[in-house]
Amino acid sequence: MAHPDSTTLKAARNAWIAARAPYQQSEVFRFGNPLVDEWEGKVNAWPLDEGLIDYVDASQYGVDAEENKYRGVNIIANKTIRVSGSDIDVSNINKALLSNILHELGGVEANVATGYHAIEFLLWGQDLNGNGPGAGARPATDFDTANCTNGNCDRRAAYLQAATDLLLDDLSDMVAQWAPNGAARKSIQADGTKKGVARALTGMGSLAYGELAGERMKLGLMLHDPEEEHDCFSDNTHNSHFYDAQGIQNVYLGNYKRTDGRMVSGPSLSSLVAAKDAELDMEMRARLTATHTAMSNMVAVAKSGKAYDQMIASGDKAGNQTVQAVIDSLTSLTKSVERVVSALDLASIQFEGSDSLDNPGAIFK
């Protein structure tokens, strides 16, 4: 940010996309583990009311003012904001301001001030293309104090710096939680093997079904709404979904490929299931492969030039089918996970659902 130009902005965007791959693979651990789920609201909260943070195009800014009275506050453009009848000094944009005051301002979950998606919006800006081609197109000069576009370039740079530093802090906390003496690891180990397995399966089924197939994919497909895509500013949604599914596969097979290419392997759910029912283990592996294939096809379509928000557009039959194939594969995978739950005598497990899958008529009421 010391010398913002198109090259440094592209480098920052590429770094953001690269950082998404390992994080998305960790989301499978959220469900069934409250300690882990607490992090999500800080590092990956979505959807985001971008008008809280910076300027927006009013014609494509659809947040309901009745639901969010802090709609369009625009922290970057204002050094004072009014909250619950009092003026709040926001002149110094720092980590404490973002995390302790602005994040979920007024108790509204859409007021996302921290994490990956706040940074994504700062790097790309609004995606004003609807279901058409193109991601956000924020110019590098939005951070250039010597040649500033859209005003407040110093505050925009300060926000990006604070949000990035805060994300690094939060991710470091996550690493510590999973260390040998970390609270997340202890919480699983202290509960014994059976509860640890139950939490792993809860994560797999809930992420595959209610969260990924339902809230992140089927809902947007039903509405044909480009605002219902996870990495909406960057058009990185295909990768986000792919690595979520990769995380599910990692947990079942007991494998993880590090960012440097090295493989990490350990005890697997697969071996546990195979000891009980070898055919069921083969079924699970086949479902995981089918999901990987459907996801890979979606990624290939995106890389060929049709972004995820275009795939879910009304009238794009081929694109819709590509996305629906992923949803179908995730739904089938969940059914196999349910069979694993039964085989391991863990009947008390419940997966998260989604109206878009379980009660689609409610979506249009």
Side-chain angles (χ1 to χ4, degrees):
M1 288 184 295
H3 305 286
D5 58 29
S6 59
T7 300
T8 56
L9 179 59
K10 182 178 180 179
R13 289 173 173 173
N14 288 342
W16 184 92
I17 290 173
R20 292 295 280 164
Y23 177 78
Q24 291 304 114
Q25 290 176 77
S26 78
E27 281 209 293
V28 67
F29 296 106
R30 283 178 47 202
F31 305 92
N33 193 330
L35 182 63
V36 179
D37 196 41
E38 288 178 7
W39 296 324
E40 195 273 343
K42 295 190 294 182
V43 302
N44 196 43
W46 168 87
L48 173 152
D49 179 358
E50 58 263 45
L52 172 77
I53 297 174
D54 202 0
Y55 69 88
V56 293
D57 183 328
S59 68
Q60 297 193 43
Y61 180 46
V63 177
D64 189 341
E66 292 184 2
E67 294 182 1
N68 184 8
K69 62 182 177 181
Y70 300 109
R71 176 184 187 272
V73 162
N74 194 343
I75 300 301
I76 287 173
N78 295 285
K79 296 183 178 181
T80 303
I81 62 173
R82 195 156 185 83
V83 178
S84 300
S86 300
D87 289 335
I88 303 296
D89 181 4
V90 295
S91 57
N92 183 18
I93 299 178
N94 54 39
K95 293 188 291 184
L97 175 70
L98 300 188
S99 61
N100 299 335
I101 297 176
L102 299 180
H103 191 59
E104 296 189 354
L105 184 65
V108 178
E109 291 186 355
N111 287 334
V112 176
T114 69
Y116 277 108
H117 295 295
I119 295 170
E120 180 192 12
F121 170 58
L122 287 167
L123 291 176
W124 275 272
Q126 277 181 295
D127 182 350
L128 301 175
N129 302 293
N131 293 113
R138 185 186 294 280
T141 47
D142 266 12
F143 300 96
D144 188 349
T145 56
N147 184 33
C148 183
T149 50
N150 296 299
N152 305 292
C153 288
D154 56 336
R155 289 178 59 77
R156 190 170 295 109
Y159 199 123
L160 179 58
Q161 185 68 64
T164 302
D165 290 345
L166 183 59
L167 177 59
L168 291 173
D169 289 348
D170 288 335
L171 293 176
S172 295
D173 287 344
M174 291 175 68
V175 171
Q177 293 273 15
W178 285 114
N181 292 316
R185 180 174 291 198
K186 283 183 176 180
S187 71
I188 292 177
Q189 293 173 334
D191 287 339
T193 301
K194 191 167 185 177
K195 286 190 176 180
V197 169
R199 284 178 171 170
L201 290 168
T202 300
M204 290 174 60
S206 294
L207 178 57
Y209 188 72
E211 185 69 16
L212 189 52
E215 293 303 299
R216 297 190 188 180
M217 298 191 74
K218 186 62 175 181
L219 179 60
L221 182 59
M222 290 174 66
L223 300 176
H224 303 294
D225 185 357
E227 294 298 314
E228 293 290 344
E229 63 163 336
H230 195 58
D231 293 3
C232 64
F233 308 116
S234 60
D235 274 354
N236 183 60
T237 301
H238 57 285
N239 283 324
S240 178
H241 293 345
F242 176 89
Y243 285 110
D244 262 328
Q246 183 64 54
I248 296 170
Q249 180 168 301
N250 292 345
V251 168
Y252 188 75
L253 298 180
N255 297 324
Y256 173 70
K257 187 177 183 179
R258 289 176 169 167
T259 55
D260 63 6
R262 290 182 296 159
M263 291 296 299
V264 178
S265 299
S268 68
L269 287 173
S270 175
S271 60
L272 187 65
V273 174
K276 286 273 189 178
D277 187 334
E279 288 189 5
L280 179 56
D281 176 57
M282 292 177 61
E283 177 185 310
M284 271 296 303
R285 287 171 171 268
R287 298 296 192 197
L288 289 166
T289 297
T291 298
H292 180 82
T293 299
M295 283 285 188
S296 296
N297 182 52
M298 182 177 68
V299 170
V301 171
K303 288 183 176 180
S304 73
K306 182 187 288 186
Y308 185 84
D309 53 5
Q310 295 175 265
M311 294 183 217
I312 63 173
S314 176
D316 188 336
K317 185 176 180 180
N320 286 188
Q321 288 176 340
T322 297
V323 174
Q324 185 61 52
V326 176
I327 296 168
D328 291 343
S329 70
L330 288 165
T331 301
S332 294
L333 173 61
T334 306
K335 291 178 181 178
S336 294
V337 177
E338 289 174 339
R339 292 191 61 204
V340 168
V341 167
S342 178
L344 298 180
D345 193 24
L346 298 169
S348 62
I349 291 179
Q350 292 186 342
F351 301 150
E352 289 200 9
S354 168
D355 278 347
S356 57
L357 297 172
D358 303 321
N359 186 22
I363 302 298
F364 300 101
K365 289 183 179 179

